Each structure stands twice: as C-alpha cells, then as structure tokens.
C-alpha cells in the first residue's frame, strides 16, 4: 500500500534561520508531488508541485524553494525564514485524477 | 482567479440528523471534485470524489454535482459526533492544480 512520510511534525525556528522539510512516498512510482501551506483558519495554498525528478513548478513567489532529487522524495527549503512563513505545511501525492493523499504535516512557527 | 467558495460555518446539527455542506466553484473547466475531512490539528483526508453530474453515494456520504450551476455538495446521513471536523471542497482545474475552499466547520451535538 502507498504511504507518505513527512517530518518533522513540529518545528519552531527563529526569523532568518534556514528551513528544510522532507517528504517521502512509498508504494508508488512517478507520483505527482505537492507542497501546500495552510495558515490558521485558512484554506490550503499550493506552493509547489512536481511531476517528475528535477521538475518543479512554483505557484507563489516567496522565499521558499522546492527540490525533487529522487522520484519519491520532495524537499521544501528556505534560506531565511520570515514570520509570515509560519503555518501548517502539507506534502501530498497523487497518481492520476483520484485526489490527494496528504502527509501528516509539519506545524512551523517562526519566532 | 479560480476559486472555490464555502460557508465557513460552523454548521451545527444534532446527532442522527443529515448534515448538508455546500460549495461553489468559479472555473467552468473543472472536471473533478473532491471532499476532504480535516480534524483539528490533523491533515486532510479524502472522503469523496465526484466527476459527473448527479449523486454519488458511499456509505453515509453522498456527493452531489451540478456543473451547470457550478455547485458541489456533501450530505452526511445519520451524523455522528465523530463527524465533527472541517470539510474542504476541492476542484481540479487541470494542469496538476487543485483549488481548495477554506472549509466548513461541522459540529455534531450528542
């Protein structure tokens, strides 16, 4: 069966510090991978998506970046965090048009 | 800008009643629609998908789609306290992009 792992679960980082969040998928090949952010009480905002290794599409200009070094690995990074980067970060995968499976999420607080 | 609109709620229903959740979408080109359930502090979980006009039933859940009116709904029969969550409506607009509504909070009173 397919599973998605996302870590860490919670993170408290100071303003200006770097960020690296990792997501891995098991049990499927060539998935579409996504990074979403959910601010408190808000909807999901698509940040990045990837349809293959090294292929990254950015939806929102910001100080975040994403990489896909392996087929089932998706990484979200920042060189310098801002207060506005706080939120609930969700990795998701899909194959075909059957909806998303989300990871358990990372709750990031920038202080 | 492509949008999915939902009433934020909260929607409060007594245990055993039918909960009716609604959403509208702006992109007429959207072909696939989804409902996700999100418990507080947790990630969303896919509960229903619907692709054609009409009703689709799965257990206590029924999704309804009306593409002419750009309207999607979710009915939960025999609501249980464990159904209390935020329900997100989503529309696949193509090009690997799915737009999510902000969600409707549902409270089921025991």
């Amino acid at each position: 069966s397919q599973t998605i792992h996302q870590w860490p679960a919670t993170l408290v980082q100071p303003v200006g510090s770097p960020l690296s969040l990792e997501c891995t998928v098991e049990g499927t090949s060539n998935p579409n991978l996504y990074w979403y952010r959910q601010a408190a009480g808000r909807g999901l905002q698509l940040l990045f998506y990837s349809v293959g290794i090294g292929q990254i599409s950015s939806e929102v200009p910001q100080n975040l970046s994403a990489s896909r070094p392996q087929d089932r690995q998706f990484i979200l990074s920042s060189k310098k965090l801002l207060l506005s980067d706080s939120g609930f970060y969700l990795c998701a995968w899909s194959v075909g048009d059957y909806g998303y499976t989300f990871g358990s999420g990372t709750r990031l607080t920038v202080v | 800008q492509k949008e999915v609109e939902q009433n934020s709620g909260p929607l409060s229903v007594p245990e055993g009643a039918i909960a009716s959740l609604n959403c509208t979408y702006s992109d007429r080109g959207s072909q696939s629609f989804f409902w996700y359930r999100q418990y507080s502090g947790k990630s969303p979980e896919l509960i229903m998908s619907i692709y054609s006009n009409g009703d689709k039933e799965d257990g206590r859940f029924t999704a309804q789609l009306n593409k002419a009116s750009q309207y999607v709904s979710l009915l939960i029969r025999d609501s249980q306290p464990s159904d209390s969550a935020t329900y997100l409506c989503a529309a696949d607009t193509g090009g690997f992009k799915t737009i999510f509504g902000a969600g409707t909070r549902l409270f089921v009173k025991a």
Side-chain angles (χ1 to χ4, degrees):
Chain A
S1 64
Q2 302 93 347
T3 57
I4 179 168
H5 303 280
Q6 187 179 345
W7 67 93
T10 60
L11 196 58
V12 180
Q13 293 285 97
V15 169
S17 64
L19 173 74
S20 180
L21 302 180
E22 188 165 343
C23 169
T24 59
V25 180
E26 295 179 359
T28 186
S29 297
N30 197 31
N32 298 325
L33 296 175
Y34 307 84
W35 279 110
Y36 277 86
R37 178 171 62 199
Q38 187 176 37
R42 304 282 295 277
L44 277 70
Q45 178 187 34
L46 178 62
L47 301 176
F48 302 94
Y49 68 91
S50 171
V51 300
I53 296 174
Q55 300 179 60
I56 307 294
S57 296
S58 173
E59 288 298 300
V60 183
Q62 57 211 331
N63 67 322
L64 299 172
S65 62
S67 62
R68 186 170 178 175
Q70 301 179 45
D71 181 44
R72 288 170 283 181
Q73 183 185 28
F74 205 22
I75 298 171
L76 181 70
S77 304
S78 174
K79 292 181 179 178
K80 287 186 177 182
L81 285 169
L82 307 172
L83 285 173
S84 58
D85 291 324
S86 294
F88 192 37
Y89 287 81
L90 292 157
C91 179
W93 72 270
S94 70
V95 176
D97 188 22
Y98 303 108
Y100 292 173
T101 298
F102 286 92
S104 55
T106 295
R107 193 163 303 280
L108 172 67
T109 303
V110 182
V111 296
Chain B
Q1 183 165 342
K2 300 173 183 177
E3 294 180 330
V4 173
E5 299 283 347
Q6 293 182 258
N7 188 321
S8 62
L11 174 65
S12 184
V13 300
E15 184 175 0
I18 296 175
S20 179
L21 306 163
N22 308 308
C23 93
T24 59
Y25 60 95
S26 63
D27 181 17
R28 283 197 171 273
S30 298
Q31 295 296 318
S32 307
F33 304 87
F34 307 92
W35 283 98
Y36 292 82
R37 178 177 61 201
Q38 186 175 23
Y39 292 114
S40 180
K42 303 296 185 182
S43 60
E45 171 193 16
L46 179 66
I47 54 172
M48 288 288 288
S49 58
I50 188 165
Y51 306 97
S52 55
N53 281 327
D55 296 358
K56 179 181 178 182
E57 186 174 320
D58 184 0
R60 295 187 296 113
F61 299 99
T62 298
Q64 300 174 316
L65 174 61
N66 183 325
K67 290 186 178 179
S69 301
Q70 297 177 244
Y71 179 88
V72 191
S73 65
L74 178 70
L75 301 177
I76 306 174
R77 291 182 300 280
D78 189 23
S79 295
Q80 301 297 310
S82 58
D83 294 326
S84 297
T86 296
Y87 289 80
L88 306 176
C89 176
D92 186 340
T93 62
F96 306 103
K97 298 177 188 178
T98 294
I99 305 298
F100 286 82
T104 298
R105 286 192 301 156
L106 173 67
F107 290 108
V108 181
K109 299 174 293 186

